[in-house]
Short mmCIF file of all heavy atoms in Angstrom, two decimals:
data_model
loop_
_atom_site.label_atom_id
_atom_site.label_comp_id
_atom_site.label_asym_id
_atom_site.label_seq_id
_atom_site.Cartn_x
_atom_site.Cartn_y
_atom_site.Cartn_z
N MET Z 1 0.85 -1.20 0.00
CA MET Z 1 0.00 0.00 0.00
C MET Z 1 0.88 1.25 0.00
O MET Z 1 1.91 1.29 0.65
CB MET Z 1 -0.90 -0.03 1.25
CG MET Z 1 -2.11 0.86 1.14
SD MET Z 1 -3.21 0.43 -0.21
CE MET Z 1 -4.48 -0.47 0.62
N ILE Z 2 0.46 2.24 -0.72
CA ILE Z 2 1.19 3.51 -0.80
C ILE Z 2 0.41 4.56 -0.01
O ILE Z 2 -0.80 4.70 -0.18
CB ILE Z 2 1.33 3.97 -2.27
CG1 ILE Z 2 2.03 2.91 -3.10
CG2 ILE Z 2 2.05 5.31 -2.34
CD1 ILE Z 2 1.89 3.13 -4.60
N THR Z 3 1.11 5.26 0.85
CA THR Z 3 0.50 6.37 1.58
C THR Z 3 0.85 7.68 0.88
O THR Z 3 2.01 7.92 0.54
CB THR Z 3 0.99 6.40 3.04
OG1 THR Z 3 0.67 5.14 3.65
CG2 THR Z 3 0.33 7.52 3.82
N ILE Z 4 -0.16 8.50 0.66
CA ILE Z 4 0.00 9.74 -0.09
C ILE Z 4 -0.17 10.91 0.88
O ILE Z 4 -1.15 10.97 1.62
CB ILE Z 4 -1.08 9.83 -1.19
CG1 ILE Z 4 -0.97 8.62 -2.11
CG2 ILE Z 4 -0.97 11.14 -1.96
CD1 ILE Z 4 -2.25 8.31 -2.86
N SER Z 5 0.80 11.80 0.84
CA SER Z 5 0.71 13.02 1.64
C SER Z 5 0.84 14.23 0.73
O SER Z 5 1.60 14.20 -0.23
CB SER Z 5 1.83 13.08 2.69
OG SER Z 5 1.84 11.93 3.50
N VAL Z 6 0.10 15.27 1.03
CA VAL Z 6 0.24 16.53 0.30
C VAL Z 6 0.46 17.64 1.31
O VAL Z 6 -0.29 17.78 2.28
CB VAL Z 6 -1.01 16.84 -0.54
CG1 VAL Z 6 -0.88 18.20 -1.22
CG2 VAL Z 6 -1.23 15.76 -1.60
N ASP Z 7 1.53 18.38 1.10
CA ASP Z 7 1.81 19.54 1.94
C ASP Z 7 0.85 20.65 1.53
O ASP Z 7 1.05 21.32 0.51
CB ASP Z 7 3.27 19.97 1.74
CG ASP Z 7 3.64 21.18 2.59
OD1 ASP Z 7 2.73 21.83 3.15
OD2 ASP Z 7 4.84 21.47 2.67
N THR Z 8 -0.20 20.81 2.32
CA THR Z 8 -1.24 21.77 1.93
C THR Z 8 -0.76 23.21 2.02
O THR Z 8 -1.36 24.10 1.42
CB THR Z 8 -2.51 21.58 2.78
OG1 THR Z 8 -2.15 21.61 4.16
CG2 THR Z 8 -3.17 20.25 2.46
N ASN Z 9 0.32 23.44 2.76
CA ASN Z 9 0.89 24.79 2.77
C ASN Z 9 1.60 25.11 1.47
O ASN Z 9 1.63 26.25 1.03
CB ASN Z 9 1.87 24.95 3.94
CG ASN Z 9 1.15 24.93 5.28
OD1 ASN Z 9 0.08 25.51 5.41
ND2 ASN Z 9 1.72 24.25 6.24
N ALA Z 10 2.17 24.07 0.85
CA ALA Z 10 2.89 24.27 -0.42
C ALA Z 10 1.95 24.19 -1.62
O ALA Z 10 2.16 24.88 -2.61
CB ALA Z 10 3.99 23.22 -0.55
N CYS Z 11 0.92 23.36 -1.51
CA CYS Z 11 0.02 23.15 -2.65
C CYS Z 11 -0.70 24.43 -3.02
O CYS Z 11 -1.30 25.08 -2.18
CB CYS Z 11 -1.00 22.07 -2.29
SG CYS Z 11 -2.28 21.85 -3.54
N ASN Z 12 -0.61 24.78 -4.30
CA ASN Z 12 -1.31 25.97 -4.79
C ASN Z 12 -2.54 25.62 -5.60
O ASN Z 12 -3.05 26.45 -6.35
CB ASN Z 12 -0.36 26.83 -5.64
CG ASN Z 12 0.51 27.71 -4.77
OD1 ASN Z 12 0.31 27.80 -3.57
ND2 ASN Z 12 1.47 28.36 -5.38
N ASN Z 13 -2.97 24.34 -5.49
CA ASN Z 13 -4.19 23.90 -6.16
C ASN Z 13 -4.15 24.10 -7.67
O ASN Z 13 -5.14 24.48 -8.29
CB ASN Z 13 -5.42 24.59 -5.55
CG ASN Z 13 -5.54 24.34 -4.07
OD1 ASN Z 13 -5.54 23.19 -3.63
ND2 ASN Z 13 -5.60 25.38 -3.28
N TYR Z 14 -2.98 23.88 -8.24
CA TYR Z 14 -2.85 24.01 -9.69
C TYR Z 14 -3.56 22.88 -10.42
O TYR Z 14 -4.03 23.06 -11.53
CB TYR Z 14 -1.37 24.00 -10.10
CG TYR Z 14 -0.60 25.21 -9.67
CD1 TYR Z 14 0.64 25.07 -9.04
CD2 TYR Z 14 -1.06 26.48 -9.91
CE1 TYR Z 14 1.37 26.17 -8.65
CE2 TYR Z 14 -0.34 27.59 -9.51
CZ TYR Z 14 0.88 27.43 -8.89
OH TYR Z 14 1.60 28.52 -8.51
N GLY Z 15 -3.57 21.70 -9.82
CA GLY Z 15 -4.32 20.59 -10.38
C GLY Z 15 -3.58 19.71 -11.36
O GLY Z 15 -4.17 18.79 -11.92
N GLN Z 16 -2.28 19.93 -11.55
CA GLN Z 16 -1.57 19.06 -12.48
C GLN Z 16 -1.61 17.60 -12.04
O GLN Z 16 -1.67 16.70 -12.88
CB GLN Z 16 -0.09 19.48 -12.62
CG GLN Z 16 0.12 20.59 -13.60
CD GLN Z 16 0.00 21.94 -12.92
OE1 GLN Z 16 -0.68 22.08 -11.91
NE2 GLN Z 16 0.64 22.93 -13.49
N CYS Z 17 -1.56 17.36 -10.74
CA CYS Z 17 -1.59 15.99 -10.24
C CYS Z 17 -2.89 15.29 -10.64
O CYS Z 17 -2.90 14.07 -10.85
CB CYS Z 17 -1.44 15.98 -8.73
SG CYS Z 17 -2.63 17.03 -7.85
N CYS Z 18 -3.96 16.04 -10.77
CA CYS Z 18 -5.27 15.46 -11.11
C CYS Z 18 -5.26 14.80 -12.48
O CYS Z 18 -5.97 13.82 -12.70
CB CYS Z 18 -6.35 16.51 -11.04
SG CYS Z 18 -6.38 17.43 -9.50
N PHE Z 19 -4.45 15.34 -13.39
CA PHE Z 19 -4.39 14.76 -14.74
C PHE Z 19 -3.67 13.42 -14.75
O PHE Z 19 -3.88 12.61 -15.64
CB PHE Z 19 -3.69 15.73 -15.70
CG PHE Z 19 -4.46 17.00 -15.93
CD1 PHE Z 19 -4.03 18.18 -15.38
CD2 PHE Z 19 -5.62 17.00 -16.69
CE1 PHE Z 19 -4.73 19.37 -15.58
CE2 PHE Z 19 -6.34 18.16 -16.89
CZ PHE Z 19 -5.90 19.35 -16.34
N GLU Z 20 -2.82 13.20 -13.76
CA GLU Z 20 -2.03 11.96 -13.72
C GLU Z 20 -2.78 10.82 -13.05
O GLU Z 20 -2.55 9.65 -13.37
CB GLU Z 20 -0.70 12.21 -12.99
CG GLU Z 20 0.14 13.33 -13.59
CD GLU Z 20 0.63 13.00 -15.00
OE1 GLU Z 20 0.68 11.82 -15.37
OE2 GLU Z 20 0.98 13.96 -15.72
N ALA Z 21 -3.64 11.13 -12.09
CA ALA Z 21 -4.39 10.09 -11.37
C ALA Z 21 -5.74 10.68 -10.96
O ALA Z 21 -5.92 11.15 -9.83
CB ALA Z 21 -3.60 9.60 -10.16
N GLU Z 22 -6.66 10.67 -11.89
CA GLU Z 22 -7.92 11.40 -11.72
C GLU Z 22 -8.78 10.88 -10.57
O GLU Z 22 -9.59 11.62 -10.02
CB GLU Z 22 -8.74 11.35 -13.01
CG GLU Z 22 -8.10 12.11 -14.15
CD GLU Z 22 -8.93 12.05 -15.42
OE1 GLU Z 22 -9.91 11.27 -15.45
OE2 GLU Z 22 -8.60 12.77 -16.36
N ASP Z 23 -8.64 9.59 -10.25
CA ASP Z 23 -9.46 9.04 -9.17
C ASP Z 23 -8.80 9.20 -7.80
O ASP Z 23 -9.39 8.83 -6.79
CB ASP Z 23 -9.79 7.57 -9.45
CG ASP Z 23 -8.54 6.72 -9.55
OD1 ASP Z 23 -7.49 7.25 -9.98
OD2 ASP Z 23 -8.60 5.54 -9.21
N ILE Z 24 -7.60 9.73 -7.78
CA ILE Z 24 -6.90 9.92 -6.51
C ILE Z 24 -6.81 11.40 -6.15
O ILE Z 24 -6.99 11.78 -4.99
CB ILE Z 24 -5.50 9.28 -6.57
CG1 ILE Z 24 -5.66 7.76 -6.67
CG2 ILE Z 24 -4.65 9.68 -5.35
CD1 ILE Z 24 -4.39 6.99 -6.82
N PHE Z 25 -6.55 12.25 -7.14
CA PHE Z 25 -6.46 13.69 -6.90
C PHE Z 25 -7.58 14.39 -7.67
O PHE Z 25 -7.80 14.10 -8.84
CB PHE Z 25 -5.11 14.23 -7.41
CG PHE Z 25 -3.90 13.61 -6.78
CD1 PHE Z 25 -3.19 12.63 -7.44
CD2 PHE Z 25 -3.47 14.02 -5.53
CE1 PHE Z 25 -2.06 12.06 -6.87
CE2 PHE Z 25 -2.34 13.46 -4.95
CZ PHE Z 25 -1.64 12.47 -5.62
N ALA Z 26 -8.26 15.32 -7.01
CA ALA Z 26 -9.31 16.08 -7.69
C ALA Z 26 -9.46 17.43 -7.01
O ALA Z 26 -9.25 17.57 -5.79
CB ALA Z 26 -10.63 15.32 -7.65
N LEU Z 27 -9.81 18.43 -7.79
CA LEU Z 27 -10.14 19.73 -7.22
C LEU Z 27 -11.63 19.76 -6.94
O LEU Z 27 -12.44 19.37 -7.78
CB LEU Z 27 -9.75 20.85 -8.20
CG LEU Z 27 -8.27 20.95 -8.54
CD1 LEU Z 27 -8.03 22.12 -9.50
CD2 LEU Z 27 -7.41 21.12 -7.29
N ASP Z 28 -12.00 20.22 -5.74
CA ASP Z 28 -13.43 20.28 -5.41
C ASP Z 28 -14.06 21.55 -5.99
O ASP Z 28 -13.41 22.31 -6.72
CB ASP Z 28 -13.63 20.15 -3.89
CG ASP Z 28 -13.06 21.33 -3.11
OD1 ASP Z 28 -12.77 22.38 -3.72
OD2 ASP Z 28 -12.91 21.19 -1.88
N ASP Z 29 -15.31 21.78 -5.68
CA ASP Z 29 -16.04 22.91 -6.26
C ASP Z 29 -15.41 24.26 -5.91
O ASP Z 29 -15.59 25.24 -6.61
CB ASP Z 29 -17.50 22.89 -5.80
CG ASP Z 29 -18.26 21.73 -6.43
OD1 ASP Z 29 -17.76 21.17 -7.43
OD2 ASP Z 29 -19.34 21.39 -5.92
N ASP Z 30 -14.67 24.27 -4.80
CA ASP Z 30 -13.99 25.50 -4.40
C ASP Z 30 -12.60 25.62 -5.01
O ASP Z 30 -11.88 26.58 -4.75
CB ASP Z 30 -13.85 25.55 -2.87
CG ASP Z 30 -15.20 25.62 -2.18
OD1 ASP Z 30 -16.12 26.22 -2.76
OD2 ASP Z 30 -15.33 25.10 -1.06
N GLY Z 31 -12.21 24.60 -5.79
CA GLY Z 31 -10.88 24.62 -6.39
C GLY Z 31 -9.79 24.16 -5.45
O GLY Z 31 -8.61 24.42 -5.69
N THR Z 32 -10.18 23.51 -4.37
CA THR Z 32 -9.21 23.01 -3.39
C THR Z 32 -8.94 21.54 -3.65
O THR Z 32 -9.86 20.76 -3.90
CB THR Z 32 -9.76 23.18 -1.96
OG1 THR Z 32 -10.02 24.57 -1.73
CG2 THR Z 32 -8.77 22.69 -0.92
N LEU Z 33 -7.67 21.17 -3.56
CA LEU Z 33 -7.30 19.78 -3.82
C LEU Z 33 -7.85 18.84 -2.75
O LEU Z 33 -7.68 19.08 -1.56
CB LEU Z 33 -5.77 19.64 -3.86
CG LEU Z 33 -5.29 18.22 -4.14
CD1 LEU Z 33 -5.61 17.82 -5.57
CD2 LEU Z 33 -3.81 18.07 -3.86
N GLN Z 34 -8.50 17.78 -3.21
CA GLN Z 34 -8.88 16.66 -2.35
C GLN Z 34 -8.13 15.44 -2.88
O GLN Z 34 -7.91 15.33 -4.09
CB GLN Z 34 -10.39 16.42 -2.42
CG GLN Z 34 -11.24 17.64 -2.10
CD GLN Z 34 -11.08 18.11 -0.66
OE1 GLN Z 34 -10.89 17.31 0.25
NE2 GLN Z 34 -11.15 19.42 -0.48
N PHE Z 35 -7.76 14.52 -1.98
CA PHE Z 35 -7.05 13.35 -2.45
C PHE Z 35 -7.32 12.16 -1.55
O PHE Z 35 -7.69 12.31 -0.38
CB PHE Z 35 -5.54 13.60 -2.54
CG PHE Z 35 -4.87 13.88 -1.22
CD1 PHE Z 35 -4.20 12.88 -0.54
CD2 PHE Z 35 -4.93 15.15 -0.66
CE1 PHE Z 35 -3.59 13.12 0.68
CE2 PHE Z 35 -4.34 15.41 0.57
CZ PHE Z 35 -3.66 14.39 1.23
N VAL Z 36 -7.17 10.99 -2.14
CA VAL Z 36 -7.30 9.73 -1.40
C VAL Z 36 -5.96 9.45 -0.74
O VAL Z 36 -4.93 9.48 -1.42
CB VAL Z 36 -7.68 8.59 -2.37
CG1 VAL Z 36 -7.82 7.28 -1.63
CG2 VAL Z 36 -8.97 8.93 -3.11
N PRO Z 37 -5.92 9.21 0.57
CA PRO Z 37 -4.63 9.12 1.26
C PRO Z 37 -3.89 7.80 1.09
O PRO Z 37 -2.72 7.73 1.44
CB PRO Z 37 -5.01 9.35 2.73
CG PRO Z 37 -6.43 8.90 2.82
CD PRO Z 37 -7.06 9.22 1.50
N GLN Z 38 -4.54 6.77 0.54
CA GLN Z 38 -3.84 5.50 0.34
C GLN Z 38 -4.23 4.92 -1.00
O GLN Z 38 -5.36 5.08 -1.47
CB GLN Z 38 -4.18 4.50 1.45
CG GLN Z 38 -3.53 4.85 2.79
CD GLN Z 38 -3.54 3.67 3.74
OE1 GLN Z 38 -4.54 2.98 3.86
NE2 GLN Z 38 -2.43 3.45 4.43
N ALA Z 39 -3.29 4.23 -1.63
CA ALA Z 39 -3.56 3.59 -2.92
C ALA Z 39 -2.76 2.31 -3.01
O ALA Z 39 -1.74 2.11 -2.33
CB ALA Z 39 -3.18 4.53 -4.06
N ASP Z 40 -3.23 1.41 -3.86
CA ASP Z 40 -2.56 0.13 -4.06
C ASP Z 40 -1.19 0.34 -4.73
O ASP Z 40 -0.99 1.29 -5.48
CB ASP Z 40 -3.45 -0.74 -4.96
CG ASP Z 40 -2.94 -2.16 -5.04
OD1 ASP Z 40 -3.22 -2.94 -4.11
OD2 ASP Z 40 -2.25 -2.47 -6.02
N ASP Z 41 -0.28 -0.59 -4.46
CA ASP Z 41 1.07 -0.51 -5.04
C ASP Z 41 1.03 -0.44 -6.57
O ASP Z 41 1.95 0.10 -7.19
CB ASP Z 41 1.90 -1.72 -4.62
CG ASP Z 41 2.32 -1.65 -3.16
OD1 ASP Z 41 2.18 -0.58 -2.54
OD2 ASP Z 41 2.80 -2.68 -2.64
N SER Z 42 0.00 -0.99 -7.17
CA SER Z 42 -0.10 -1.00 -8.63
C SER Z 42 -0.23 0.41 -9.21
O SER Z 42 -0.06 0.61 -10.41
CB SER Z 42 -1.30 -1.85 -9.08
OG SER Z 42 -2.51 -1.28 -8.61
N ARG Z 43 -0.51 1.38 -8.35
CA ARG Z 43 -0.70 2.76 -8.82
C ARG Z 43 0.60 3.58 -8.73
O ARG Z 43 0.57 4.80 -8.94
CB ARG Z 43 -1.77 3.46 -7.97
CG ARG Z 43 -3.10 2.70 -7.89
CD ARG Z 43 -3.75 2.52 -9.25
NE ARG Z 43 -3.98 3.77 -9.93
CZ ARG Z 43 -5.06 4.54 -9.75
NH1 ARG Z 43 -6.00 4.17 -8.93
NH2 ARG Z 43 -5.19 5.67 -10.43
N LEU Z 44 1.70 2.92 -8.39
CA LEU Z 44 2.93 3.67 -8.11
C LEU Z 44 3.36 4.55 -9.28
O LEU Z 44 3.74 5.72 -9.08
CB LEU Z 44 4.05 2.70 -7.71
CG LEU Z 44 5.38 3.38 -7.33
CD1 LEU Z 44 5.19 4.29 -6.11
CD2 LEU Z 44 6.46 2.34 -7.05
N ASP Z 45 3.35 4.01 -10.49
CA ASP Z 45 3.81 4.81 -11.64
C ASP Z 45 3.00 6.08 -11.79
O ASP Z 45 3.54 7.17 -11.98
CB ASP Z 45 3.73 3.99 -12.93
CG ASP Z 45 4.86 2.98 -13.04
OD1 ASP Z 45 5.77 3.01 -12.18
OD2 ASP Z 45 4.83 2.17 -13.98
N GLU Z 46 1.68 5.96 -11.70
CA GLU Z 46 0.81 7.15 -11.83
C GLU Z 46 1.08 8.15 -10.71
O GLU Z 46 1.11 9.36 -10.94
CB GLU Z 46 -0.66 6.73 -11.75
CG GLU Z 46 -1.17 5.95 -12.93
CD GLU Z 46 -2.48 5.29 -12.56
OE1 GLU Z 46 -3.51 5.97 -12.69
OE2 GLU Z 46 -2.46 4.14 -12.10
N LEU Z 47 1.27 7.62 -9.50
CA LEU Z 47 1.50 8.52 -8.36
C LEU Z 47 2.85 9.21 -8.47
O LEU Z 47 2.99 10.39 -8.13
CB LEU Z 47 1.39 7.73 -7.06
CG LEU Z 47 -0.03 7.27 -6.75
CD1 LEU Z 47 -0.03 6.27 -5.60
CD2 LEU Z 47 -0.91 8.45 -6.41
N GLU Z 48 3.85 8.48 -8.96
CA GLU Z 48 5.15 9.11 -9.16
C GLU Z 48 5.05 10.19 -10.24
O GLU Z 48 5.67 11.26 -10.13
CB GLU Z 48 6.21 8.07 -9.51
CG GLU Z 48 6.61 7.24 -8.30
CD GLU Z 48 7.71 6.25 -8.58
OE1 GLU Z 48 7.89 5.86 -9.76
OE2 GLU Z 48 8.38 5.85 -7.62
N ASN Z 49 4.28 9.92 -11.28
CA ASN Z 49 4.07 10.94 -12.32
C ASN Z 49 3.39 12.17 -11.74
O ASN Z 49 3.73 13.31 -12.08
CB ASN Z 49 3.24 10.37 -13.47
CG ASN Z 49 4.01 9.38 -14.30
OD1 ASN Z 49 5.23 9.34 -14.25
ND2 ASN Z 49 3.29 8.58 -15.07
N ALA Z 50 2.41 11.95 -10.87
CA ALA Z 50 1.71 13.06 -10.24
C ALA Z 50 2.67 13.87 -9.37
O ALA Z 50 2.67 15.11 -9.40
CB ALA Z 50 0.54 12.54 -9.41
N ALA Z 51 3.48 13.17 -8.59
CA ALA Z 51 4.44 13.87 -7.73
C ALA Z 51 5.44 14.66 -8.57
O ALA Z 51 5.78 15.80 -8.25
CB ALA Z 51 5.15 12.87 -6.83
N ASP Z 52 5.88 14.05 -9.67
CA ASP Z 52 6.84 14.74 -10.55
C ASP Z 52 6.20 15.94 -11.23
O ASP Z 52 6.89 16.93 -11.52
CB ASP Z 52 7.38 13.77 -11.61
CG ASP Z 52 8.31 12.72 -11.02
OD1 ASP Z 52 8.76 12.90 -9.87
OD2 ASP Z 52 8.57 11.71 -11.71
N ALA Z 53 4.91 15.85 -11.51
CA ALA Z 53 4.22 16.93 -12.23
C ALA Z 53 3.91 18.12 -11.33
O ALA Z 53 3.65 19.22 -11.83
CB ALA Z 53 2.91 16.40 -12.83
N CYS Z 54 3.94 17.91 -10.04
CA CYS Z 54 3.57 18.99 -9.12
C CYS Z 54 4.63 20.09 -9.12
O CYS Z 54 5.78 19.84 -8.74
CB CYS Z 54 3.40 18.44 -7.71
SG CYS Z 54 3.04 19.75 -6.52
N PRO Z 55 4.26 21.29 -9.53
CA PRO Z 55 5.25 22.38 -9.59
C PRO Z 55 5.73 22.82 -8.21
O PRO Z 55 6.78 23.46 -8.10
CB PRO Z 55 4.50 23.50 -10.31
CG PRO Z 55 3.06 23.21 -10.09
CD PRO Z 55 2.94 21.72 -10.00
N MET Z 56 4.99 22.47 -7.17
CA MET Z 56 5.37 22.85 -5.82
C MET Z 56 6.07 21.72 -5.07
O MET Z 56 6.43 21.88 -3.90
CB MET Z 56 4.11 23.27 -5.04
CG MET Z 56 3.29 24.36 -5.71
SD MET Z 56 4.25 25.82 -6.13
CE MET Z 56 4.64 26.41 -4.48
N GLN Z 57 6.20 20.58 -5.72
CA GLN Z 57 6.78 19.39 -5.09
C GLN Z 57 6.10 19.13 -3.73
O GLN Z 57 6.76 18.85 -2.73
CB GLN Z 57 8.29 19.53 -4.93
CG GLN Z 57 8.98 19.71 -6.30
CD GLN Z 57 10.48 19.61 -6.23
OE1 GLN Z 57 11.09 19.95 -5.22
NE2 GLN Z 57 11.09 19.16 -7.31
N ALA Z 58 4.78 19.21 -3.75
CA ALA Z 58 4.01 19.10 -2.51
C ALA Z 58 3.59 17.68 -2.19
O ALA Z 58 3.07 17.42 -1.10
CB ALA Z 58 2.78 19.99 -2.61
N ILE Z 59 3.78 16.75 -3.14
CA ILE Z 59 3.28 15.38 -2.95
C ILE Z 59 4.41 14.47 -2.47
O ILE Z 59 5.48 14.43 -3.08
CB ILE Z 59 2.70 14.84 -4.27
CG1 ILE Z 59 1.55 15.73 -4.74
CG2 ILE Z 59 2.24 13.39 -4.10
CD1 ILE Z 59 1.04 15.40 -6.12
N THR Z 60 4.15 13.75 -1.38
CA THR Z 60 5.10 12.77 -0.85
C THR Z 60 4.44 11.41 -0.85
O THR Z 60 3.28 11.27 -0.46
CB THR Z 60 5.51 13.14 0.58
OG1 THR Z 60 6.06 14.45 0.59
CG2 THR Z 60 6.55 12.16 1.13
N LEU Z 61 5.19 10.40 -1.30
CA LEU Z 61 4.70 9.02 -1.33
C LEU Z 61 5.53 8.19 -0.36
O LEU Z 61 6.75 8.32 -0.32
CB LEU Z 61 4.83 8.45 -2.74
CG LEU Z 61 4.20 9.27 -3.87
CD1 LEU Z 61 4.53 8.65 -5.21
CD2 LEU Z 61 2.70 9.39 -3.68
N ASN Z 62 4.86 7.32 0.39
CA ASN Z 62 5.56 6.40 1.28
C ASN Z 62 5.02 5.00 1.08
O ASN Z 62 3.80 4.81 0.98
CB ASN Z 62 5.37 6.82 2.75
CG ASN Z 62 6.15 8.06 3.08
OD1 ASN Z 62 7.38 8.05 3.06
ND2 ASN Z 62 5.45 9.15 3.34
N ARG Z 63 5.92 4.03 1.03
CA ARG Z 63 5.51 2.63 0.86
C ARG Z 63 5.89 1.83 2.08
O ARG Z 63 6.88 2.13 2.73
CB ARG Z 63 6.19 2.02 -0.36
CG ARG Z 63 5.81 2.73 -1.65
CD ARG Z 63 6.53 2.11 -2.81
NE ARG Z 63 5.93 0.83 -3.20
CZ ARG Z 63 6.47 0.03 -4.11
NH1 ARG Z 63 7.58 0.34 -4.69
NH2 ARG Z 63 5.86 -1.10 -4.43
S1 SF4 L 101 -0.01 19.49 -8.62
FE1 SF4 L 101 0.82 20.00 -6.61
S2 SF4 L 101 0.26 22.14 -6.28
FE2 SF4 L 101 -1.04 21.32 -7.89
S3 SF4 L 101 -2.89 20.60 -6.88
FE3 SF4 L 101 -1.49 18.87 -7.08
S4 SF4 L 101 -0.39 18.85 -5.14
FE4 SF4 L 101 -1.30 20.86 -5.34
#
C-alpha cells in the first residue's frame, strides 16, 4: 500500500496531479485539492508521475 501526503501549505491547487491520477487527486467545487490518502502498489507509476508533475513538489509518497 502507498500512503499519499500533500503539503497543503505548499500546494497551490494548480491541479496538475489530477491529470495523472484522476481518481486519486481532484479539485473540489472551491478549487481546493482533495485526495485519497492511500492507494494500491499497482498505482505507483501514476503517483510518481503526479508527484513529478507537481510544480510545488508538494506530494510525498511512502511505501
Ligand atoms: S499538482 Fe501540486 S500544487 Fe497542484 S494541486 Fe497537485 S499537489 Fe497541489
Side-chain angles (χ1 to χ4, degrees):
M1 200 61 100
I2 302 165
T3 302
I4 302 158
S5 305
V6 176
D7 180 348
T8 52
N9 291 320
C11 173
N12 278 352
N13 302 306
Y14 292 131
Q16 277 90 333
C17 53
C18 308
F19 294 107
E20 303 295 338
E22 293 181 351
D23 60 330
I24 293 176
F25 301 101
L27 297 181
D28 66 15
D29 290 343
D30 295 328
T32 301
L33 181 70
Q34 305 294 327
F35 64 99
V36 180
Q38 287 197 316
D40 189 82
D41 287 348
S42 63
R43 307 299 303 275
L44 183 61
D45 284 353
E46 290 165 85
L47 291 169
E48 286 183 337
N49 288 343
D52 289 345
C54 176
M56 306 306 293
Q57 300 190 330
I59 300 172
T60 303
L61 307 174
N62 288 294
R63 298 178 76 187

